[in-house]
Amino acid sequence: MSQLIEVKVPDIGDFDAVPIIDLFVKVGDTIKVDDAICTLESDKATMDVPSSAAGVVKEILVGLGDKVAEGAVLIKVEAAGAAAPAPVAAPAAAGPIEVKVPDIGDFDAVPVIEIFVKPGDTVKVDDALVTLESDKATMDVPSSAAGVVKEVKVKLGDKVSEGAVIVVLEGGAAAVAAPVAAAAPAAAPAAVSAPAAPVVTATPASLPPVPPLGSKVHASPSVRAYARELGADLNKVKATGPNGRILKEDVTAFVKGVLSSPAAAAPAAGASLGGGLDLLPWPKVDFSKFGEIEVQPLSRIKKISGQNLSRNWVMIPAVTYHEDADITDLEAFRVLLNKENEKGGGAKLTMLAFLVKACVKAMQKYPEFNSSLDGDNLVLKKYFNIGFAADTPNGLVVPVIKNADKKSVFEIAQESGDLAKQARDGKLKPADMQGACFTISSLGGIGGTYFAPIVNAPEVAILGVNKSAMKPTWDGKQFVPRLTLPLSLTADHRVIDGALATRFNVYVAQLLADFRRVAL
Ligand code: CAO
């Protein structure tokens, strides 16, 4: 019988409420004990949380930006084996101490690619001594003891395995790691609290919605920490190490270069957008010269969505297509159903719910709208998860109605209402905002005629909706008043060309004009 094991944040020392900046697993992934689950980053340390269990990831309970503390459940794994809890630091005798390569999981004979210490250096517990690099992971070996380096036992290129002596220290106290053994589900240590455990930088297994800081660059954890300390974006640092690895010196050179550039005095806001854009520095204006001002920090949601929107705006060749849908009959039907429903006390049917259903039908007819670009491949999805933009006091969020194809309009109305409320109350869970295939941004309750929404990558299209209005429509003989809903579809032109986008728009309008077509 399979069992679900909760993988939790282990003892992370003095750290509390540490944000998740990188997630390496997705539902369905098979992971081993010690595989990195996520990266946590406080203002003082960056730590990868290794899995305490092996098996298949069944559930992910956290998202990027979530703040977690010891004991927080990160994922649920269908068990194939689990590791023992954190090593317990225990003082050992002073005197010469051999610091050895700890248990590095399945890795064996891993080359030493960087050495951070030399004889005479004073090291603290957890200071990185060397970096090891296999074809799958880069890991720093932290010191399990404090003291003065008497001897460095390895040289660059040496291949080492668990137990190999790295350095000999003098005059310090050691921390001893407990052995790793198969046992009941328990959390494995994060590197920061486990002096003898390696910090593993694994390759991200999935594309997170927010680009993590430097997750795709090739650099050891200590170099990453150094870059973060200096505020350097590793994506922009030129690597001179073997296999394109960024060295500490590269980060230093990058920072020096930035500081000595003419734009340094006014950092370019656009520079964070990537893509090699040669943009002017962001205008730096002392607004207080012109009148009274008040400075308010952006909310976390605004900061995250701002980065995403900027990337999507710059990187997607997007075109917006407009169409008018005649919703006279649909609105009459909706009002009628709501009247009937009032007596029964059921959920209020919203226009958004009908739009979700119509979009699903149109995505079934035009599958490119349910796809994502992955390099030269188009990933076509067979599930229909629809995101909808929700305006909250803290900024824009996009909750997702999962498997909308399998839900009735009533169910969608109920669920979107619940999700919108949770969004406004700041109670949405990361999972509620993940996995969308297509997004609807409805401003209809507010007003507007048409707009050009920004595609929510890696989706390829988004439907913007404004306020319906009674308009004179020519029926072949005369002008008749019809309730008209303005649709604005923005699509990624790399996947969807103008003809297809217009077909989709026309079809959505047809479905809304006569909703019986959805049942066909
Ligand atoms: N035309 C005319 N009226 C509309 C309408 C439309 N397209 N859509 C909704 N309405 C009316 C409804 O009839 C309802 O009126 P009554 O209160 O008189 O019944 C009112 O607006 C509220 O509608 P609703 O309860 O269905 O809610 P909604 O669908 O308008 O909004 C939600 C739900 C979550 C989409 C909304 O709260 C929201 O956050 N919208 C903003 C989305 C946004 O910011 N998009 C921009 C993203 S890009 O910057």
Side-chain angles (χ1 to χ4, degrees), residues 389-440:
D391 186 30
T392 80
N394 288 324
L396 182 70
V397 291
V398 183
V400 181
I401 299 162
K402 306 269 163 56
N403 302 313
D405 56 321
K406 300 193 173 74
K407 291 175 179 161
S408 71
V409 179
F410 275 111
E411 286 169 327
I412 293 170
Q414 175 80 54
E415 190 174 331
S416 59
D418 292 347
L419 287 168
K421 179 167 186 321
Q422 286 173 40
R424 283 191 293 273
D425 296 345
K427 292 197 175 138
L428 279 183
K429 291 189 276 307
D432 295 331
M433 294 180 277
Q434 288 167 0
C437 308
F438 180 91
T439 296
I440 298 176

Side-chain angles (χ1 to χ4, degrees), residues 334 348 350 389-391 396 420 441-445 466-468 485:
R334 190 182 77 87
K348 179 184 156 191
T350 58
D391 186 30
L396 182 70
S441 177
S442 172
L443 293 168
N466 286 104
K467 192 175 177 67
S468 58
L485 183 71

Side-chain angles (χ1 to χ4, degrees), residues 243 313 452:
N243 303 328
W313 176 265

Side-chain angles (χ1 to χ4, degrees), residues 86-92 125 174-178 193-195:
V88 181
V125 170
V176 182
S193 65

Side-chain angles (χ1 to χ4, degrees), residues 149 207 213 252 331 350 376 516:
V149 177
L207 273 180
L213 294 169
T252 310
E331 179 61 7
T350 58
D376 288 337
R516 290 173 305 181

